[in-house]
Amino acid sequence: MRLSILATAFILAGAAPVAARTPPAPPPVQTAAPADAASPEAIVAALYQVISGDIGVARDWDRFRALFHPTARLMPSGQNAQGVGVVRSITPDEYITLAEPVLVGQGFHEREIARRSERFGHIVHVWTTYESLHSLSDARPFARGINSIQLFHDGSRWWILSVYWQGESPTEPIPPEYLPAAG
């Protein structure tokens, strides 16, 4: 028992200097439209809206940036050619640089087809199943998958902390519990 108390005291003593350090200042943040950051549902809807559009239609990247917390990351995942799981962590600005030519050049509409959410205090975890189309007139989506979105409420608004996603594949279909209810 005494060893456990000493070990705990040692660990806590070492942690105090770490906790006392001042983190670096976050990058400047765009101000979100109040309606976009008012609720978990609103911020997820704003995310889908801002990345969606027809061929040649510019996206509102200032609106996109304003949805994300200064420390936010986007993380596409999947499998490489060898079948090994891979993930990449990028900032919202890196996402813009990588995705804009494809989104605008090919047309891209992503829409939610099902959702599951869990909340505790200031955090919400949203599993949002999506389908992707080049045009809203497309008969079928060219892709589907699941976005795992973590949200944070700072007392005045909602922020996206992370968007971690994986596209559906023949070997990894979307589980039934993440699809719209049959009806």
Side-chain angles (χ1 to χ4, degrees), residues 51-70:
I51 63 172
S52 296
D54 291 326
I55 293 174
V57 175
R59 305 314 194 258
D60 184 347
W61 294 121
D62 287 337
R63 181 183 182 202
F64 178 83
R65 287 181 188 96
L67 302 175
F68 289 88
H69 189 271

Side-chain angles (χ1 to χ4, degrees), residues 45-146:
L47 176 63
Y48 279 122
Q49 289 169 4
V50 78
I51 63 172
S52 296
D54 291 326
I55 293 174
V57 175
R59 305 314 194 258
D60 184 347
W61 294 121
D62 287 337
R63 181 183 182 202
F64 178 83
R65 287 181 188 96
L67 302 175
F68 289 88
H69 189 271
T71 62
R73 293 291 181 268
L74 294 100
M75 296 162 288
S77 66
Q79 290 186 348
N80 65 16
Q82 294 73 38
V84 176
V86 294
V87 66
R88 181 176 184 186
S89 177
I90 57 177
T91 66
D93 281 325
E94 290 169 326
Y95 175 85
I96 292 166
T97 299
L98 294 167
E100 184 174 37
V102 176
L103 300 182
V104 175
Q106 297 179 8
F108 181 83
H109 293 269
E110 189 166 273
R111 59 185 177 195
E112 182 177 72
I113 60 172
R115 175 189 298 211
R116 296 172 61 167
S117 297
E118 295 177 352
R119 181 176 182 166
F120 173 73
H122 294 271
I123 62 174
V124 172
H125 182 196
V126 180
W127 292 95
T128 171
T129 306
Y130 64 84
E131 63 181 14
S132 302
L133 304 106
H134 293 293
S135 170
L136 291 176
S137 63
D138 291 351
R140 298 177 53 140
F142 69 85
R144 297 189 323 170
I146 296 178

Side-chain angles (χ1 to χ4, degrees), residues 2 5 13 27 31 58 73-74 106 113-115 117 120 148 151 154 171-172 180:
R2 183 173 169 87
I5 292 171
T31 301
R73 293 291 181 268
L74 294 100
Q106 297 179 8
I113 60 172
R115 175 189 298 211
S117 297
F120 173 73
S148 169
L151 304 174
D154 67 3
T171 58
E172 293 183 296

